[in-house]
Amino acid sequence: MLKKIRVVLSVVFLLLFAFIFVDFKHVLPESWVYFITRFQLTPAVLSVLVFGGFAVVSLIFLVLLTIIFGRVYCSTLCPLGALQDVFTRLFKPRKKKRRFKYSKPNNWLRYSILAITVLLFVAGNSLLLNLLDPYSNFGKIFSNLVRPVYMWVNNQMAALYENSYKVIPVEIKGYRWLAVSYAALFLVIIAAMSAWRGRLFCNTICPVGAMLSLFSRKSFFRIQLDKEKCNSCGLCALQCKAECIDTDNRTVDMSRCVGCFNCLSVCRSQGVYFSIAGKNRMPENVLLHDQKRRFLLGGMVAMFTLIPGVRLLSAEQKHQQRGKGRGRDNHHEPVPVVREHPLSPPGSISHEHFTSLCTACHLCINACPKQVLVPAFMEYGLKGMMQPRLDYSVSFCNYECVVCSQVCPTGAILRVNNEEKKQIQIGKAHFVRRNCVVITDKTDCGACAEHCPTQAVRMVQHRNGLFVPEVNDEICVGCGACEHACPTDPKAIYVDGNPIHKKAEMPQTEAIKKEIDFNDFPF
C-alpha cells in the first residue's frame, strides 16, 4: 500500500506542476499557484529569507517530514523526481534481470556541490542554484519545451474549429535559444542518468537531495532489513533506484533512500519493512502503522491540493540594424540603441535583490499575460543567466497587471497590488531624436504618446506643424508601451532599466489608459 500511495501522490504532483508550467490560459488562480509552490524546498528556503511567516511554516513542514519519514519529498512532492521515475520506467530493460545494484555513496561530490552552491548564494550569486535546483529545472523543461507545443496544439484546434469561441488562438513568442537549448540538454541528461542509474542525479548532483540527506540519515521511520527474515537474496537491491540497499551487510543508507518503497513490494521473505528506527523485527501491528501513515500522507495531499491559498545586448537589440528607412534624410543617420541596464519585473526591488533570489524557474514567464517576460542571456551578468527580464520587442508590461508578483515562490519578485505597481518605476523612457520618423521622414506619428498609459510621453511642437515626443521622467514607470508601439528600427524611443527600482509620481490626469490594444495599430 505504501508504494501505491507513493505512486498516486507522485503522479498527482507531477501532473499538477506540469499543468502550472504550461497553463497559458491561467486556469489556476495565482493564489493557488503561489500556495502550491511554497512546498518546494528551494522556494521555501529562499522565501523564508524574505517573508518569514507562512514560508517558515512550509519549510519546517518539509524538514519535519524528512526527519520523520526520510526523503519521501524526493519521491512524492518533487516533480523532477517523478519525471526521473517516468524515464526509469520507460527505459526499463526487458531482457536483463539485473537492473540496479548497491553502490557506495559519493558523499564528497554531493556535499561539495551543496557547499559550493550555498557559498555562492551567500555571496549573492545564484547561478549554480539556477542550474541544479530540481524544481527550477522542471520549470525550464516544461516552460520552454512543452508549453510551446501545447500552445501550438491549441492553435491547431482553434483553426479546426474556427467558428467556435471555446478554443482561442494565441501568439507564441518570447522564447530564447539559450533557455530552450539548456532545457533540452538537461532533459536528455536527466533521462540518460535515470535510465542508467535511477536516482543518480538526486544522490550525486542535486543540492536539494544533499540537503535533505542531512536530515534523513537519522529519520524516525526508515527502510530496514530484518536480521532474521532477510536471506540476502538481493531482490530489493535490484529494484532500489537509489542504489542504497546493501544486502550483504543488511543495511540501508537512509541518506540516499528516496522512499519509493519498491523494495517492500518485491521482498518474498518479508525481510524488508518500513518502521521505527531500531526495530529488528517486523512489528505485528505494522498494518495499523501503515494505515496511520496513509491517513497522514493523505491529509498532507488534501492540504496541498484543496486549500487555495559580462553585459551583452539582448537578441532583439543585436545592434538593431542601422537599416535605412524610407525617404530618410542622409543628414539623419539612425542611432543604434544600446540599453545600459536590463528591465527586471515590477516588485523585484533591484537587480541585486532579484538575481540573488531568483532560481529561473520561469513560472512568472508562463504567468505573464502579455508574454513580455523572457529568459535573459547575459543582461544581468553570468549569475543572472536565464532569469526573466522584460523584452519590449515582444510585448509590453500591462499597467494594471501584477500577475508575476503573485506567483513568484522565492521572494525574488515581491507581491504588490495594482496601486503599488502603478508607482514602481522599473526604468525610464529615452527619446532618440535622430531615429524618429517625424525628424527623418517629416511626417506625423505620435504612436508612443498615444499608447503611454501614464501620459509620461507627450507630443510637443517641433516645426512646420509637426510634433515630437517629450518624456516626463517623474511619472514614467518604464512599462515599454511606447517602445513597443514605436514603428522605427532602431527605436526612436526605448526604456532603459533602473538597477534599483524607483517610485514614480502619479500622473495628474484622470484619463489613464488601462488597457492597450495594438491590433489596430497601422505600422
Side-chain angles (χ1 to χ4, degrees), residues 189-472:
I189 291 175
I190 205 71
M193 294 180 74
S194 302
W196 178 41
R197 296 275 299 276
R199 291 300 190 98
L200 181 62
F201 173 82
C202 300
N203 287 325
T204 55
I205 299 175
C206 179
V208 171
M211 180 179 292
L212 291 176
S213 71
L214 299 175
F215 301 100
S216 67
R217 62 176 60 248
K218 298 295 182 181
S219 61
F220 188 60
F221 286 90
R222 58 180 65 184
I223 297 288
Q224 299 174 82
L225 302 185
D226 192 292
K227 302 297 182 181
E228 296 181 4
K229 295 184 179 181
C230 177
N231 56 16
S232 299
C233 66
L235 286 176
C236 54
L238 295 180
Q239 297 297 322
C240 179
K241 294 176 289 188
E243 300 183 331
C244 64
I245 300 179
D246 184 358
T247 54
D248 292 336
N249 297 310
R250 297 175 182 174
T251 58
V252 179
D253 183 359
M254 285 302 294
S255 71
R256 289 185 291 159
C257 176
V258 295
C260 68
F261 304 126
N262 286 352
C263 53
L264 299 180
S265 61
V266 297
C267 182
R268 299 171 181 174
S269 62
Q270 294 186 335
V272 185
Y273 61 97
F274 183 66
S275 185
I276 300 173
K279 293 286 185 179
N280 293 326
R281 286 183 173 275
M282 182 76 69
E284 295 179 359
N285 60 344
V286 65
L287 182 59
L288 179 60
H289 284 287
D290 286 347
Q291 289 173 343
K292 291 180 178 179
R293 288 193 290 273
R294 290 199 296 271
F295 178 77
L296 179 60
L297 292 175
M300 293 173 183
V301 169
M303 180 178 67
F304 292 155
T305 56
L306 297 180
I307 302 179
V310 174
R311 187 181 304 141
L312 300 177
L313 297 181
S314 56
E316 83 280 1
Q317 292 174 342
K318 278 189 177 177
H319 298 149
Q320 291 189 327
Q321 300 298 323
R322 299 177 58 179
K324 298 180 179 180
R326 299 180 194 174
R328 288 188 171 172
D329 196 319
N330 291 333
H331 296 290
H332 300 290
E333 286 294 325
V335 179
V337 172
V338 178
R339 213 181 305 268
E340 292 293 328
H341 305 286
L343 291 129
S344 61
S348 58
I349 302 179
S350 67
H351 292 174
E352 182 178 357
H353 171 89
F354 182 63
T355 57
S356 64
L357 291 174
C358 177
T359 62
C361 70
H362 294 182
L363 184 57
C364 59
I365 295 178
N366 296 336
C368 179
K370 290 294 183 181
Q371 300 186 58
V372 68
L373 290 175
V374 301
F377 178 37
M378 299 289 282
E379 287 82 3
Y380 295 116
L382 182 62
K383 67 178 182 179
M385 187 180 297
M386 288 186 291
Q387 293 178 347
R389 65 178 181 86
L390 286 86
D391 183 352
Y392 294 146
S393 70
V394 174
S395 186
F396 63 99
C397 184
N398 194 312
Y399 188 58
E400 298 242 336
C401 178
V402 292
V403 172
C404 61
S405 75
Q406 304 300 307
V407 299
C408 178
T410 66
I413 308 175
L414 300 182
R415 294 171 69 88
V416 295
N417 57 41
N418 285 334
E419 295 305 315
E420 292 171 334
K421 192 265 176 100
K422 291 176 182 177
Q423 287 191 274
I424 297 177
Q425 187 185 75
I426 61 176
K428 296 179 181 178
H430 298 271
F431 175 52
V432 184
R433 192 180 184 88
R434 287 170 59 182
N435 294 351
C436 184
V437 294
V438 177
I439 304 298
T440 59
D441 294 1
K442 296 180 176 57
T443 185
D444 286 318
C445 182
C448 52
E450 180 183 351
H451 293 93
C452 178
T454 66
Q455 297 187 6
V457 182
R458 65 188 185 96
M459 304 304 290
V460 297
Q461 185 75 39
H462 172 52
R463 65 176 63 146
N464 299 328
L466 298 176
F467 294 81
V468 294
E470 180 181 76
V471 180
N472 182 351

Side-chain angles (χ1 to χ4, degrees), residues 18 64 250 447 476:
L64 288 178
R250 297 175 182 174
C476 176

